[in-house]
């Protein structure tokens, strides 16, 4: 039952406000590997939007390779073949997660 003169939060609106603030409209982080004139593009879920099951796997993982395998999924071997470095993927994920904490703290979800 709704309260008189009160608006509710719309989860779609809240999520959009966060994706806009973080600059990730599809909730994913893209990065390039390989030669500058012909890089391959890879992506993983932004740390704020990482699905629960993936987050549980990341929390249990040991080492950068395990984390990169989880983040890149079926594209891991392709990433390695392109000259990808698992340590760099882990550093990118951690860096983006740390940066996001500051950005997320500035978002004030609106109702309606």
């Amino acid at each position: 039952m709704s309260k008189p003169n009160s608006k509710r939060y719309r989860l779609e609106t809240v999520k959009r406000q966060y994706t806009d603030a973080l600059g990730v409209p599809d909730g994913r982080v893209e990065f390039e590997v390989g030669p500058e004139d012909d890089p391959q593009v890879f992506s993983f879920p932004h740390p704020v939007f990482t699905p629960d099951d993936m987050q549980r796997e990341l929390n249990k993982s040991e080492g950068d390779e395990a984390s990169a395998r989880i983040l890149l999924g079926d594209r891991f071997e392709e990433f390695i073949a392109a000259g990808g470095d698992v340590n760099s993927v882990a550093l990118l994920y951690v860096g983006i997660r740390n940066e996001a904490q500051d950005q997320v703290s500035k978002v004030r979800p609106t109702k309606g």
Side-chain angles (χ1 to χ4, degrees), residues 39-106:
Q40 290 191 18
V41 177
F42 295 89
S43 68
F44 55 76
H46 189 284
V48 171
F49 303 109
T50 302
D52 288 344
D53 57 339
M54 182 181 276
Q55 190 61 57
R56 280 191 292 275
E57 287 184 56
L58 287 169
N59 291 341
K60 291 188 287 186
S61 68
E62 294 185 20
D64 292 343
E65 182 176 337
S67 296
R69 284 182 181 278
I70 293 165
L71 289 169
L72 298 172
D74 60 359
R75 295 205 60 206
F76 178 79
E77 297 300 331
E78 185 180 350
F79 167 76
I80 295 300
D85 169 31
V86 295
N87 183 257
S88 295
V89 171
L91 289 172
L92 178 61
Y93 186 83
V94 169
I96 290 170
R97 184 183 63 206
N98 292 342
E99 180 183 281
Q101 289 174 343
D102 183 48
Q103 292 170 311
V104 164
S105 69
K106 295 175 184 173

Side-chain angles (χ1 to χ4, degrees), residues 3 11 14 17-18 25 27 34 36 66 70 74 83 96 110:
K3 297 178 183 179
L11 293 183
V14 172
Q17 290 170 331
Y18 281 95
E36 220 171 287
I70 293 165
D74 60 359
I96 290 170
T110 57

Side-chain angles (χ1 to χ4, degrees), residues 19-39:
T19 58
D20 290 348
L22 295 168
V24 289
D26 64 352
R28 297 190 66 80
V29 173
E30 287 189 345
F31 61 96
E32 298 177 348
V33 175
E36 220 171 287
D37 61 338
D38 188 27

